[in-house]
Amino acid sequence: GKPRIVFSPDGQTLVFEEKGKLHLYAVPSLQSVTHWPGFRPAYSKDGSAMVYALTNRLVRRNLVTGQEVQFGEAEDGVAALALSPDGRTVVTSGSNSGGTMTFWDVLGQVPPVKVEKHTDTVEGLDFSPDGQTLASASWEAKLGLWNGKERRNLDLLRGHKVHMSSV
């Protein structure tokens, strides 16, 4: 996939995703801090944890202790991943699972919930800052809006001429 760059919430660290590795750099010096395998990183709001995919496994890493805990396993490669602002819910889409999106409980207390409204790969996912709304960008050139708590589709917005890959 395409390289991704994500800032930590405090702006002190930059994560560069490339070829299955997450490289962490100090800001502004860009000195290498550490690296480990992973894809599609997302920081918790307070910056104490990060969730990401390891092939199709979904993990949460405590950035203070370094402890890594698996909380789910996707059926195929993870195309997109978003973490809710409260740090409790991760939403993923798959590389080969059409428009299916899966809502995961990071603590593993609730089974994953699959929803399908798009008809083609969802490559972009992001929560609004208040966590109420989730946006999904699909190869079918539609932008989905979802009630994040109820996992319910609010609308599929049309108007784009080509596929969307990010929100």
Side-chain angles (χ1 to χ4, degrees), residues 101-157:
M101 295 165 32
T102 306
F103 288 75
W104 306 86
D105 174 17
V106 174
L107 302 179
Q109 297 171 345
V110 180
V113 175
K114 291 185 182 188
V115 296
E116 189 166 6
K117 191 72 176 178
H118 290 287
T119 58
D120 205 343
T121 301
V122 174
E123 195 178 351
L125 291 166
D126 203 7
F127 277 93
S128 61
D130 66 4
Q132 298 300 308
T133 307
L134 175 74
S136 55
S138 170
W139 286 3
E140 68 187 331
K142 293 178 184 165
L143 177 71
L145 292 177
W146 302 79
N147 177 312
K149 299 260 187 268
E150 298 173 11
R151 302 165 172 89
R152 179 173 51 86
N153 182 256
L154 302 172
D155 205 354
L156 282 183
L157 304 175

Side-chain angles (χ1 to χ4, degrees), residues 10-11 26 38 68 71 86 88 91 97 99 128 141 151 156-157 165:
D10 65 5
E68 199 177 71
F71 63 86
D86 68 6
R88 288 292 309 264
V91 183
S97 51
S128 61
R151 302 165 172 89
L156 282 183
L157 304 175
S165 60

Side-chain angles (χ1 to χ4, degrees), residues 4-80:
R4 285 179 167 67
I5 298 172
V6 179
F7 275 100
S8 62
D10 65 5
Q12 301 294 304
T13 308
L14 187 71
V15 180
F16 183 71
E17 172 195 332
E18 186 180 39
K19 297 178 182 164
K21 272 209 163 85
L22 301 177
H23 301 272
L24 281 69
Y25 297 95
V27 175
S29 69
L30 295 183
Q31 290 291 105
S32 177
V33 176
T34 187
H35 63 88
W36 62 76
F39 297 91
R40 310 296 182 258
Y43 274 98
S44 63
K45 199 172 183 177
D46 67 1
S48 69
M50 184 188 290
V51 295
Y52 50 92
L54 272 173
T55 314
N56 61 336
R57 295 185 303 123
L58 299 169
V59 296
R60 179 184 190 277
R61 179 182 286 245
N62 180 317
L63 295 174
V64 178
T65 66
Q67 183 192 26
E68 199 177 71
V69 177
Q70 180 176 327
F71 63 86
E73 193 162 342
E75 290 174 12
D76 64 351
V78 175

